[in-house]
């Protein structure tokens, strides 16, 4: 197997009242005053976008045409227990026009495709809801 890097995301982050983040390609620039749940929001946005692409890939592998309206809402919780911080996540997915049983199969398959799902598997509690 020959590994190939498809893309490298590069960001620069600063803290404080004038803190923020920006990507090297200029596609992302946000002012983030402290404290701010930026990490959880950005992680949720990145994961849900990737997971949606994985659902599309899973559907393509099964020759299932997805109608318009596929959507993923990510909820990322930052928790603390006895001084230890950890994450929990909920992915609420809408696949309108697809039989719910087939949609559930696609959601399950997408977790095996999405790099974010693979990275979090076994590391954080994740609940995937078909809505």
């Amino acid at each position: 197997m020959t590994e190939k890097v498809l893309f490298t995301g590069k960001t620069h982050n600063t803290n404080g009242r004038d803190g923020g983040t920006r990507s090297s390609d200029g596609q992302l620039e946000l002012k983030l005053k402290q404290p701010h749940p930026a990490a959880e929001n950005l992680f949720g946005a990145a994961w849900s976008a990737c997971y949606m692409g994985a659902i599309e890939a899973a559907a393509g592998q099964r020759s299932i045409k997805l109608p318009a309206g596929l959507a993923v809402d990510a909820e990322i919780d930052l928790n603390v227990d006895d001084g230890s911080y950890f994450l929990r996540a909920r992915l609420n997915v809408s696949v309108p026009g697809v039989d719910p049983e087939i949609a559930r199969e696609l959601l399950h398959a997408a977790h095996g495709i999405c790099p974010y799902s693979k990275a979090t598997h076994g590391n954080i509690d994740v609940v995937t809801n078909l809505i």
Side-chain angles (χ1 to χ4, degrees):
M1 182 167 121
T2 303
E3 179 180 309
K4 179 181 177 184
V5 174
L6 298 177
F7 180 80
T8 299
K10 296 179 185 177
T11 58
H12 177 75
N13 295 276
T14 57
N15 67 351
R17 285 179 37 140
D18 296 321
T21 186
R22 71 176 185 275
S23 62
S24 63
D25 64 4
Q27 294 297 307
L28 175 69
E29 185 165 354
L30 299 169
K31 296 291 181 194
L32 305 170
K33 295 180 182 180
Q34 298 295 328
H36 189 279
E40 291 75 27
N41 288 336
L42 291 170
F43 182 65
W47 189 0
S48 59
C50 182
Y51 187 66
M52 190 166 17
I55 294 168
E56 292 169 340
Q61 290 171 352
R62 291 160 177 76
S63 299
I64 297 170
K65 180 154 174 53
L66 293 175
L70 173 65
V72 179
D73 295 319
E75 298 175 3
I76 309 298
D77 300 325
L78 174 61
N79 303 280
V80 64
D81 183 18
D82 198 25
S84 179
Y85 295 93
F86 61 97
L87 299 175
R88 283 197 181 112
R90 286 168 306 288
L91 299 177
N92 301 307
V93 185
S94 175
V95 190
V98 175
D99 176 86
E101 194 57 39
I102 293 172
R104 283 185 192 87
E105 290 175 16
L106 293 175
L107 301 187
H108 178 74
H111 279 299
I113 297 170
C114 173
Y116 287 83
S117 293
K118 290 178 183 180
T120 60
H121 183 75
N123 295 311
I124 68 172
D125 291 333
V126 178
V127 175
T128 305
N129 299 305
L130 179 61
I131 55 172

